[in-house]
Structures are given as structure tokens and as C-alpha cells.
Amino acid sequence: MLSRRRCFAAAANRIRPLARAFCDAPASGAPRSQDHSHTEKVAGVKAPPDVLDVAIVGGGMVGLAVACALSNMPLTKHLKIAIIDSNPALKSRGYLDKNSTPDSRVSTVTPATISFFRDIGAWEHVQQQRHAFFGKMQVWDYTGLGYTRYNARDVGKEYLGCVVENKVLCNSLLLRLKEELDDIENVIYPTRLVSLTFPLKSRQAGMKPASSEPLSVGHTTEELHRSNLVKLDLSDGRILYSKLVIGADGSKSNVRQIAGIKTTGWNYPQSAIICTVEHVVENDCAWQRFLPSGPIALLPIGNNFSNIVWTMSPEESLRHKSMSPEEFVKSVNHALDFGYGPHPRSTALDHYMEQFFSGIGNTATSTKECFEVPPKATGVVSERMAFPLSLMHSHDYVSKRLALVGDAAHTVHPLAGQGVNLGFGDAAALAKVIAEGVSVGSDVGDLTLLQRYEKDQKAANVAMTAVLDGFQKMYSVDFGPLNMVRAAAFHGAQYISPLKKSIISYAMGDKKWPLFP
Amino acid sequence: MLSRAFLSSGSPLHGRARIQALLPQWSRYASVASSSVPPQPPPPPPPPPSPPRGPSRSGGVGPTVSSLNPAEVAKFASIAETWWDSSGPFKPLHVMNPTRLSFIRSTLCRHLRRDPNSSKPLEGLKVIDVGCGGGILSEPLARMGATVTAIDAVDKNIKIASIHAASDPTTASIEYCCATAEELVKEKRLFDAVISLEVIEHVANPLEFCESLSALTVPNGATVVSTINRSMRAYATAIVAAEYILRWLPRGTHEWSKLVTPEELVLMLQKASVSVEEMAGFVYNPLSGEWSLSDDISVNYIAFGVKKSEASSTNGREASLS
């Protein structure tokens, strides 16, 4: 009878002392610095180069959001994370001055994003710095054939969104991270990533156990452990090993390129100019007018300031960037007012439509609101910046031990202020999936686990990208019949309350899919 | 014993096995004293070892028997490497794994009063995975903090499992043994939690198997068993659909008459001084390709039992005899 009992406990014993050093990480949120000292204490064992659970490449808004979300949840608090970004802003440790000139780079965060920030505890920091809620929105185009007004009260909410400077968002997340982690200095690596080496496939398929030895002889235990991790080479010469690499390094993602993930997309024949302007009175509404060459948006940023995002052809954008501030202000006011076309005027048809559709659903507040002219800009207070616009979507969001979030995975047209909100959605979904994985003892870099994140997010992101792309194309052609279609669309969105509410909910992030109830 | 064993790793042999070929195999293990039974005549088309036994895994923990058939072992050797290929023949098992673990985690936390929000809720617990196969269950248990011993009757599986576990420091401490539950009982090993998933439907004597599992459990410890229900629905899904239509498992992996109903399992465990406290079913959603926990125990189900403490065990036996 063959009752061979090969106990590999003996072999395991050989590596057990080292194994203890790694797996004795205390379960409940004890400061991570203990781990470092623990490994050093184990006799005769050299402290290895940093071995991490999660390495986040890119410390922008979305990268920091992932780090914050992970350090906020009890299940993932203990994970060793690192943020690799050489941006000096990551050294900041206090609130940014509310009275300084607002930065040109702002984002409109949707209520869904705000509630994510509340969950991870970063919103209270945003509230201590400059931010501007807005409850009204008006969208119209140059033909003067129609307009739509949205009001947060249409869907029973207090605000449609909040405009916050990007640096404020980053800083708030950073401050929250500092609260959660004792040794944030050790978490942030102020360098750049030079290269990534992914583990070889040999661990899975084609594994041949050598005849009688359970482990491959000749490899040290450390080498064995590391051969299963991703190796990150940093520009300052340091080497990190990690179970999972998160690429949060923007649209030109280095991580995505190294991993060889392909993308689909195209450049829009447009660039966007952004800057901050000042008004005489406070602006409390978000304005967007579609012009022949692209939309101009005026977003309140607080304290009588507004942010301008003006999409136009690349040549025009260069011209506008280099013209004098006074000329630019004139140009802006012209574009928002009578430039390119008349104001929409309420005609008998509009009244008729209003009556006709008022019976459907509860009439939204903004259905009755008239067209208003946006406030005049009195001066440009910040530098004007221009950047090209493109659409990009990765074929895969994940691969072995790698996940992409934010702009690294997808970029969209800024016409609806959705870009970074998609990124924050990714951050929340990825953190949730990682927590689920930890709760059932998975390896955080396991591909099947990461694919759940991809499944959750990809379809919704692709839908939003398509919707925005559709709008961009629809508004970029000056063609009589198409103008009529757009006018009809404006009227529909203005007077058909259920449609209006549906649009608002989708844009606010409350609904995952457009049009479906 | 090996016949059970080969079911733990599979090889994609299709269409050659016939149910009849399996019957002599199974009847060999009908009695405890099977060492006196002459080894079976070489099975004509060798019963296909099961690769993606979807829910089933590992095996060979029946009473210790005669010789292992080297031919069978070799067959499994060839496909054993695919254990950890999550898109390979063991894919259904990988997909189902998180669901099983989530049940185990929540029941162990509840009954042993562990913090469910902790990332290592099983810290300090001695757990044994009986019929571990390639270690698909053992590794997550180790990551959850448990001190894991894992046994399987197929040596190849143990080797594969050890190699895979060695590359992660948290799982490198798993004690892998090529052994049967009975052998460990003889050594008087005891564990806080004894887990045996998808094994009982393949052993010769389920009642004795339950006794062994119970003997390995400390009083008030946990015994977790999962298997497939002997119901018409299980016949349609786990056997006909999984084996013949979808070809997830090779034909003959599960013999309907050997499946165990929840009532039988509860009674067997009760006889072995383990009282089943919780039970749940696994349901597969073909549209999303995901498994989830449910109250539906008509096909796959898992039972969580608690070993009676010393004081009440004798009372229990008297009650069951009367």
C-alpha cells in the first residue's frame, strides 16, 4: 500500500522564520512603522528593499483618492501602499489659502463624487478651502433656437455639483491621508518611475515540480517571493516590489505603455483654453454656450470669480492665449452674449410646448425659468492655459498585477465636466474590489479579482464617453436641419420634465446609465 | 484511495470513460476491510480524472486501501500543473472560490467571535483543509491569518500546492501533507476548524469520513463540509449540464447515487457529534458567470457544524441511539 506521507512541513520550516517576519503584520491598524522595525529585528535577515502590497504610480487626484480610500477602510488599512510622484505639491501639509487667486485648473465634482469624498473623510478638508456649489445651470447654443435650464430642485437636491480647484482636491486628499497614516513620508516616493518588470508566467501554467524537492533549489526565499511580484525601478535608484501596481499617471500613462495595453481613440480638432475671470457680482450658476467651434463654459469658483473652459480650434486657441487680457475679456463676453448669434427668445411655440408637456410627471422648477444672460467678466486674473483635447479608452483596464484608473484608462471631452468624476468612480470601485478580495483572502494582484473592477467600471465609462462624444459631434456641425434637431433637443430637455430629471441624474452620477429608468 | 485521489486533479479526457467502468472502482471501496479485496482489473478506458470538477475537488480520503494505480497517478500528474491556471480546466473552481470563502469567513467569525472587519480574522486558528488539491482554498485561509495544514491523497497535488504557496510569504507557512484524514486521526491531530469541500461525495463511506473529520476537530470547534445535493435538479445541472453539455467536468465525475442530501449530511455529522448550525447554497448565474450564496440548497451547498463539547457529547450519543 502506498501510504507515502510527504509532509512538506519540514521544508516549510526552513522558510517559516522569514515567513513570520512578513505575515506577523498586526491585523488591526497598528502603525505600519512597526512592520519595518520588525523585519529588521529578525536575526540574520537583511531588511529587504521595500516590498509593498499596492504601488500607486501617480499622485494626482485619482491616485491620491485610491490611496485615501484604501487607508480608510478597515479591511485594507493594513496594506502597505506607496505613491510614486515627484510633484512637490505632495509635500504640502496645510490648507491652501482661500484668498489667493483661483487656479485655472478646476474640476466640477458631481454629488456622487462628493459622497465618495465624504465616505473617505476628505470632503471636510475641501470645505475648509475654496469651493463653490452651484444649483443652477443653463445650456444654449449660438443659433438662438433654444435653451435648457437645469435646477437642482428639479430632482429635489440642493446643488448640481461643486467646482473645486484641482490643487484643493489633491491637497484635501493628501491631508486626509496624513491623518490616516502615521508615516506618510515613507509612503510618498518623490521620484519617477523608470521601468516596471512584471512577474513571469511560469508560476502558473507549466509548473513542473522538481522530482523530490518541493522548492527550486538554488533560489533564496527572498528571490522566490520577489519573482512573484512586480518590480519597480525608480529614478533615484531605489527598487520596489509590489503585489499590485495601480497606474494613475494620466492620459500619457507610462505604466500603461510599459504594460503594453492598447488604446482606442482620436484627437478632437479642438483645444481648450482655461483661465479664471472676475465678476462684479457673485456667479451662482453654471453656464455653457455651444458656439460653432466648440462650447464655452463659465463655472463659478467662489468669491466673484469664475472659471472659463473655452473649446475652440487649435489655431484660435493660440490666438486667444496670446492676445491681451482686455481683448480676451471682450472676446469672452462677446461669446457668452450676442456673439455668433442671437439670444434664445421665448416664442409661442415654447409656451405651447410648456403647456403640452406640463402634464407629464411633476413639472420641474426650471421648466418655467426664462433665459438669462450670464454675468459679464470684468477681468482675467489668472494665466491662460491651452491644451489639446482627445478621446481615449484603454482596451483593458487591468492585466496581471496591474490596474489603470482615471485618465490613464480613459479621457473624455470636457464639455460636461465628467472626466475626473469617472476617475473618482474608478478609484472607489477599485478600492471596493480590493477590500472584497482581502476579505476572502485573495492576493490583491490576482487577475480575476481585478477583472471584477474592470467589469464594474468599463461599461459605464464607455457609455459616458460615447454620450459625450455624441454631443461633441452633434454640436460641431453648422447645418440647418441639424441645428433644428439640436433646438428640438434643447426644447425637449427644457420642457419635458422626466427627460430633464433623467439627464440631471445621469450627469450628477446618481444614475449609472443614460436613459434607462 | 487513489481513484478518489485522481479526481482531485483532472485531465481533459473526453468521451472515453463510461459510467460502468467506474462502478467496479467504486464498489471496491464499499467495505472498510478492503485490503482483502483483490485490486480491481485494469479499468478498460480509464475513468477520466476530473479536471474542472466545478465544485468538486481532491479526494481520496476513504478508508486506507490497497495500491495506488500508477497509471492513474500519471494521468493526473500531466494536468496537475493546470491547477493554478485560472483560465484553464479548473476555472469553475476558481470562480466559485470567493463565494465559499465568504461563507467560511462569516460563519467562523460569527461562531468563534472574531472581528469580521479585521483583515486577518482567522489569526491564531489551526485549520485543516482535507482534500486540498492544489491549495486553492488553503492559500486564502492562510492569508486570512489561519495556521493551515492541508492534506490530499495525491502527491502531485501536494507538490504543486507547495510550490505555488512558497512564492508568497503569507502562504509559505502552510503545512502540506500527502495523507488521509484517518492517518491524521491516528496521530491524534486536532484543529480548531476542519474544512472539507467537495470531497464527501467521492469517498467510499461518508459516515466514517464524517467521523474522521469530527475526530480531527477540537470540542466546540468548527467542521465545514460542502458537497452536491442528491436531487433531480442537481442531476440536471451538476451532472447532465456540467458533464455532458457544458463539459466543465469529465463524464462520470459525480455519480448521482453517491451524492449526499443535506438531511443525510446533517444526520451523519450528528452521529459524529457535530451539530450543523448553518447551511447555505451556491447558485450560479450563467449570465454574469458568477456564483453567489443563497438559501437554495438544491444543488451545491455548504454546511457549517460545531463539534459538541466534551460534556454534551455523551448525551448526544444517547439521544441519537434512542
Side-chain angles (χ1 to χ4, degrees):
Chain A
M1 178 179 78
L2 213 65
S3 61
R4 280 175 303 161
R5 282 189 45 209
R6 282 283 184 76
C7 260
F8 292 107
N13 274 330
R14 244 197 292 144
I15 52 178
R16 209 175 261 158
L18 197 61
R20 286 267 160 66
F22 286 107
C23 58
D24 266 356
S28 48
R32 276 182 301 109
S33 50
Q34 259 184 29
D35 285 349
H36 291 289
S37 51
H38 197 281
T39 42
E40 276 148 17
K41 277 190 206 127
V42 176
V45 176
K46 210 169 34 140
D50 299 351
V51 176
L52 311 159
D53 293 309
V54 180
I56 302 172
V57 180
M61 295 185 279
V62 179
L64 287 174
V66 177
C68 231
L70 287 176
S71 62
N72 204 57
M73 289 188 282
L75 280 172
T76 51
K77 261 175 124 65
H78 68 290
L79 292 176
K80 277 200 201 148
I81 56 176
I83 301 170
I84 298 161
D85 195 319
S86 52
N87 187 349
L90 291 174
K91 292 198 171 51
S92 146
R93 295 287 175 265
Y95 288 131
L96 298 174
D97 184 13
K98 258 190 186 176
N99 296 320
S100 61
T101 316
D103 209 23
S104 319
R105 307 210 66 169
V106 308
S107 298
T108 314
V109 290
T110 58
T113 300
I114 293 173
S115 87
F116 168 57
F117 267 63
R118 283 215 173 92
D119 288 341
I120 60 180
W123 189 251
E124 53 193 55
H125 294 301
V126 175
Q127 287 173 315
Q128 298 294 327
Q129 302 170 89
R130 183 189 289 117
H131 62 287
F133 285 101
F134 62 94
K136 296 188 289 193
M137 189 164 159
Q138 177 174 293
V139 185
W140 73 112
D141 72 354
Y142 64 94
T143 58
L145 294 172
Y147 71 96
T148 309
R149 283 188 72 89
Y150 299 103
N151 194 312
R153 297 284 162 84
D154 296 342
V155 287
K157 297 272 160 65
E158 286 300 310
Y159 52 83
L160 289 172
C162 186
V163 183
V164 191
E165 291 158 272
N166 289 357
K167 65 182 189 191
V168 167
L169 288 171
C170 277
N171 199 41
S172 308
L173 290 165
L174 195 60
L175 288 170
R176 178 58 182 165
L177 208 54
K178 181 166 190 311
E179 282 174 2
E180 291 285 311
L181 304 170
D182 288 328
D183 56 345
I184 194 170
E185 313 298 336
N186 288 337
V187 169
I188 298 180
Y189 289 75
T191 71
R192 286 179 309 105
L193 179 72
V194 170
S195 74
L196 282 176
T197 317
F198 287 96
L200 302 166
K201 264 199 191 164
S202 60
R203 187 170 179 245
Q204 290 191 342
M207 226 175 4
K208 287 193 200 13
S211 49
S212 54
E213 285 300 313
L215 302 172
S216 2
V217 187
H219 280 67
T220 64
T221 321
E222 278 161 19
E223 284 171 37
L224 198 58
H225 295 158
R226 288 184 216 156
S227 65
N228 189 31
L229 304 173
V230 185
K231 183 172 168 219
L232 298 100
D233 291 292
L234 305 181
S235 60
D236 63 357
R238 276 189 284 189
I239 295 179
L240 303 175
Y241 289 93
S242 180
K243 287 190 186 149
L244 171 65
V245 172
I246 296 182
D249 47 347
S251 53
K252 297 188 188 46
S253 169
N254 198 9
V255 171
R256 189 188 68 226
Q257 280 167 13
I258 295 176
I261 294 180
K262 297 198 176 21
T263 63
T264 299
W266 45 86
N267 293 324
Y268 288 117
Q270 293 170 323
S271 294
I273 289 235
I274 53 175
C275 67
T276 315
V277 296
E278 199 170 6
H279 304 288
V280 174
V281 291
E282 193 166 346
N283 176 17
D284 63 349
C285 175
W287 311 88
Q288 176 143 301
R289 188 180 190 209
F290 285 92
L291 302 175
S293 56
I296 177 168
L298 186 74
L299 306 167
I301 185 65
N303 302 125
N304 293 3
F305 292 113
S306 287
N307 183 267
I308 298 258
V309 180
W310 193 352
T311 306
M312 55 181 80
S313 71
E315 305 76 32
E316 279 294 311
S317 70
L318 283 173
R319 197 169 69 82
H320 277 84
K321 191 171 165 199
S322 47
M323 61 170 60
S324 74
E326 297 77 23
E327 276 182 39
F328 183 75
V329 170
K330 252 206 246 166
S331 188
V332 164
N333 287 330
H334 181 71
L336 286 171
D337 201 347
F338 279 106
Y340 308 96
H343 289 167
R345 229 163 321 158
S346 289
T347 63
L349 176 64
D350 297 330
H351 291 300
Y352 176 69
M353 276 191 75
E354 193 189 325
Q355 299 293 337
F356 186 76
F357 289 112
S358 62
I360 302 174
N362 292 326
T363 309
T365 326
S366 55
T367 323
K368 304 222 187 307
E369 286 172 14
C370 295
F371 174 80
E372 283 178 27
V373 181
K376 294 252 177 296
T378 53
V380 177
V381 297
S382 78
E383 186 196 334
R384 282 160 272 166
M385 294 199 246
F387 48 92
L389 301 175
S390 62
L391 174 153
M392 183 274 290
H393 218 103
S394 286
H395 290 189
D396 305 300
Y397 285 13
V398 302
S399 82
K400 207 161 160 262
R401 297 204 179 282
L402 169 74
L404 298 174
V405 288
D407 278 0
H410 44 73
T411 65
V412 297
H413 199 280
L415 63 82
Q418 293 295 332
V420 82
N421 294 294
L422 295 181
F424 286 129
D426 289 350
L430 182 59
K432 185 169 95 101
V433 162
I434 292 178
E436 283 170 5
V438 167
S439 78
V440 288
S442 302
D443 182 348
V444 292
D446 183 34
L447 185 57
T448 25
L449 180 70
L450 297 174
Q451 279 168 341
R452 294 221 305 262
Y453 150 70
E454 184 177 36
K455 205 162 81 114
D456 283 343
Q457 285 302 104
K458 201 173 190 195
N461 288 346
V462 169
M464 175 65 85
T465 311
V467 165
L468 297 175
D469 191 54
F471 273 111
Q472 191 271 338
K473 293 194 163 33
M474 207 166 87
Y475 283 95
S476 55
V477 179
D478 183 19
F479 180 54
L482 188 57
N483 294 354
M484 287 295 148
V485 170
R486 293 204 301 257
F490 276 125
H491 278 84
Q494 173 65 2
Y495 297 113
I496 303 178
S497 294
L499 176 62
K500 179 191 290 249
K501 289 177 190 175
S502 184
I503 293 172
I504 295 180
S505 295
Y506 182 55
M508 280 168 68
D510 287 342
K511 253 180 17 147
K512 199 165 178 215
W513 302 103
L515 297 183
F516 287 107
Chain B
M1 174 171 87
L2 181 63
S3 321
R4 304 296 170 276
F6 67 61
L7 290 168
S8 59
S9 31
S11 90
L13 290 182
H14 296 294
R16 289 181 42 194
R18 301 203 272 141
I19 310 289
Q20 292 92 314
L22 281 174
L23 286 177
Q25 206 83 22
W26 298 117
S27 58
R28 179 154 77 104
Y29 302 114
S31 60
V32 178
S34 50
S35 47
S36 56
V37 173
Q40 100 270 11
S50 62
R53 293 161 75 213
S56 34
R57 192 164 46 109
S58 91
V61 277
T64 53
V65 266
S66 35
S67 50
L68 297 172
N69 186 334
E72 309 300 348
V73 180
K75 250 177 240 87
F76 295 91
S78 63
I79 50 85
E81 280 102 8
T82 56
W83 256 108
W84 285 100
D85 184 3
S86 52
S87 51
F90 285 108
K91 182 175 173 190
L93 200 56
H94 283 275
V95 177
M96 201 197 200
N97 208 31
T99 321
R100 315 191 294 183
L101 283 160
S102 125
F103 176 84
I104 291 172
R105 179 201 169 91
S106 68
T107 46
L108 282 176
C109 281
R110 205 173 7 259
H111 287 262
L112 300 176
R113 294 194 178 60
R114 294 299 173 114
D115 176 14
N117 281 330
S118 159
S119 55
K120 285 194 197 290
L122 307 183
E123 187 117 32
L125 288 182
K126 290 209 299 266
V127 177
I128 180 170
D129 181 7
V130 178
C132 62
I136 289 182
L137 186 74
S138 317
E139 289 196 11
L141 289 173
R143 286 199 197 97
M144 289 200 257
T147 309
V148 181
T149 303
I151 63 173
D152 197 275
V154 177
D155 191 43
K156 188 81 178 192
N157 288 342
I158 295 292
K159 286 204 176 88
I160 294 289
S162 305
I163 291 177
H164 191 267
S167 39
D168 182 349
T170 13
T171 56
S173 53
I174 297 176
E175 182 194 350
Y176 279 108
C177 285
C178 181
T180 64
E182 288 67 31
E183 287 162 20
L184 291 196
V185 170
K186 281 200 197 101
E187 289 180 17
K188 297 204 185 344
R189 299 281 301 266
L190 285 175
F191 298 91
D192 299 305
V194 172
I195 305 182
S196 182
L197 306 188
E198 317 298 333
V199 176
I200 195 167
E201 69 262 29
H202 298 285
V203 301
N205 193 329
L207 184 57
E208 295 213 358
F209 181 60
C210 287
E211 299 274 354
S212 304
L213 294 182
S214 169
L216 289 170
T217 320
V218 300
N220 280 326
T223 308
V224 183
V225 175
S226 88
T227 183
I228 302 179
N229 195 347
R230 189 177 69 248
S231 64
M232 290 320 298
R233 198 146 148 230
Y235 183 72
T237 52
I239 297 183
V240 173
E243 293 179 14
Y244 291 83
I245 300 176
L246 297 172
R247 305 282 183 98
W248 281 358
L249 317 176
R251 299 178 193 187
T253 304
H254 289 118
E255 196 174 306
W256 191 78
S257 59
K258 287 188 71 61
L259 298 180
V260 177
T261 67
E263 296 78 15
E264 288 166 357
L265 181 64
V266 169
L267 284 171
M268 288 195 287
L269 285 172
Q270 197 173 34
K271 192 117 191 299
S273 313
V274 172
S275 94
V276 172
E277 311 253 323
E278 293 195 46
M279 200 180 284
F282 297 130
V283 170
Y284 181 68
N285 180 346
L287 294 174
S288 64
E290 286 173 1
W291 288 89
S292 53
L293 284 174
S294 97
D295 288 327
D296 179 3
I297 53 175
S298 59
V299 186
N300 296 83
Y301 68 96
I302 186 166
F304 176 91
V306 177
K307 170 91 177 277
K308 297 194 178 103
S309 59
E310 294 298 328
S312 52
S313 57
T314 34
N315 295 339
R317 257 197 217 105
E318 284 166 7
S320 65
L321 285 173
S322 60

